[in-house]
């Protein structure tokens, strides 16, 4: 249900709910709140995300050290597909979200499937397999050049943006389109499939910006848009100008890393 906490009335809790429930089992002296670096949506994956928390122990109890905190939290997270990979003590001035220098997302595309039933079972929900034949990757790379650098990305922000008054100006530091290996790359039944990864790096992204950029680039690869059309979309600075139903689904999107 996404990384952010959901309210009690929602059926599926967010990752933050599970983290805070696990932390409360450590019997802190005050309620614990996790502040998470990147607010990934429902259906989006995270290879690595970052969060900070303040934890106060009862009087007379020593402070947790990093390995102890990591071990205890993971013990209470056991039923969930969530793991704490590392823990570091940080100064009071640190903030997981606002101290980040950049965030790197990757989007996985699978080519060669004429129907969604042909997606390998171990790849389901972990990539997007757009139908319609091969993509013109060269044209996609040409279009990607228009997205690099600092722009007003109003056209590429969701009309349902959760922070509509936030500045739409963002700087794309990296946008690469490279072939990749699937989880079953050596399996003879799947050797006709091609995987591609689109890598995006920026200090911050607008709500659903990466999925809309991927959708536009795939539309270029399919010939439904041309590279100059992407430049025109940028210059329109209007979310309503984005082609209908062109946003990429969440399945193929991964938060790869957060850099400090």
């Amino acid at each position: 249900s996404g990384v952010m906490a959901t309210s009690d009335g929602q059926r599926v809790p967010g990752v933050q709910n599970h983290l805070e429930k696990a932390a409360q089992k450590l019997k802190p002296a005050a309620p614990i709140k996790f502040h998470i670096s990147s607010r990934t949506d429902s259906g989006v994956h995270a290879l690595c995300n970052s969060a900070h928390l303040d934890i106060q122990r009862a009087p007379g109890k020593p402070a947790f050290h990093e390995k102890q905190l990591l071990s205890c939290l993971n013990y209470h997270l056991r039923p969930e597909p969530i793991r704490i990979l590392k823990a570091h003590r940080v100064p009071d001035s640190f903030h997981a979200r606002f101290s980040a220098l950049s965030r790197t997302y990757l989007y996985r595309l699978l080519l060669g499937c004429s129907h969604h039933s042909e997606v390998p079972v171990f790849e389901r929900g972990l990539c997007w397999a757009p139908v319609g034949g091969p993509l013109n990757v060269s044209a996609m790379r040409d279009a990607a050049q228009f997205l690099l650098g600092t722009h007003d990305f109003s056209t590429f922000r969701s009309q349902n943006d959760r922070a509509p008054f936030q500045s739409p100006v963002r700087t794309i530091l990296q946008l690469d389109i490279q072939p990749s290996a699937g989880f079953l790359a050596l399996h003879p039944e799947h050797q006709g499939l091609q995987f591609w990864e689109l890598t995006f790096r920026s200090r911050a992204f607008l709500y659903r910006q990466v999925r809309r950029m991927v959708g536009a680039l795939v539309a270029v690869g399919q010939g439904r848009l041309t590279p100059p059309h992407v430049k025109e979309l940028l210059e329109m600075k209007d979310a309503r100008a984005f082609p209908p139903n062109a946003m990429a689904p969440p399945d193929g999107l991964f938060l790869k890393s957060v850099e400090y």
Side-chain angles (χ1 to χ4, degrees):
S1 189
V3 75
M4 302 307 291
T6 58
S7 61
D8 292 339
Q10 291 181 258
R11 186 173 60 87
V12 182
V15 173
Q16 184 179 353
N17 296 96
H18 291 296
L19 293 172
E20 291 175 354
K21 182 179 178 181
Q24 288 305 128
K25 292 181 179 179
L26 304 182
K27 298 181 179 178
I32 287 178
K33 179 176 176 61
F34 276 77
H35 301 267
I36 301 179
S37 151
S38 303
R39 304 180 179 189
T40 51
D41 271 352
S42 176
V44 176
H45 314 284
L47 300 175
C48 187
N49 204 339
S50 303
H52 81 263
L53 71 156
D54 296 306
I55 183 163
Q56 181 181 343
R57 301 208 72 184
K61 292 276 189 179
F64 283 108
H65 56 73
E66 288 94 330
K67 288 185 178 179
Q68 182 185 18
L69 188 64
L70 183 146
S71 174
C72 291
L73 286 173
N74 280 333
Y75 176 82
H76 294 297
L77 284 167
R78 280 178 305 169
E80 304 302 328
I82 303 165
R83 290 296 176 271
I84 310 298
L85 303 178
K86 294 179 183 178
H88 305 281
R89 191 175 301 280
V90 292
D92 289 342
S93 59
F94 177 86
H95 194 287
R97 182 179 175 193
F98 300 116
S99 298
L101 298 177
S102 66
R103 295 161 173 82
T104 301
Y105 283 86
L106 64 85
Y107 197 99
R108 301 180 71 239
L109 292 175
L110 170 58
L111 306 184
C113 294
S114 58
H115 189 267
H116 65 82
S117 62
E118 297 176 7
V119 176
V121 66
F122 291 111
E123 295 283 2
R124 289 179 188 169
L126 300 172
C127 61
W128 177 27
V131 296
L135 297 179
N136 184 341
V137 176
S138 178
M140 292 171 65
R141 286 173 171 155
D142 289 344
Q145 294 302 307
F146 293 117
L147 298 172
L148 277 169
T150 302
H151 306 283
D152 181 325
F153 281 96
S154 292
T155 305
F156 291 88
R157 78 190 301 172
S158 173
Q159 292 189 61
N160 300 320
D161 199 332
R162 296 168 294 190
F165 301 109
Q166 190 179 56
S167 170
V169 176
R170 292 291 184 269
T171 300
I172 303 298
L173 302 167
Q174 176 188 0
L175 204 176
D176 295 328
I177 305 174
Q178 299 293 340
S180 175
F183 298 135
L184 297 175
L186 300 179
H187 196 291
E189 291 295 320
H190 303 303
Q191 287 180 359
L193 302 179
Q194 286 186 319
F195 286 87
W196 290 82
E197 284 185 2
L198 287 74
T199 302
F200 301 82
R201 184 166 62 90
S202 174
R203 187 175 185 276
F205 293 92
L206 298 169
Y207 184 45
R208 294 183 173 172
Q209 179 186 347
V210 175
R211 288 170 58 191
R212 287 164 81 93
M213 290 191 294
V214 170
L217 292 174
V218 167
V220 169
Q222 294 173 328
R224 294 186 291 118
L225 294 178
T226 65
H229 280 145
V230 172
K231 183 174 185 288
E232 291 172 12
L233 286 173
L234 262 180
E235 292 170 347
M236 288 179 186
K237 303 176 184 177
D238 184 352
R240 295 167 297 181
F242 190 78
N245 304 315
M247 183 171 68
D251 307 50
L253 183 57
F254 293 74
L255 174 61
K256 182 180 179 181
S257 59
V258 183
E259 296 81 33
Y260 292 97

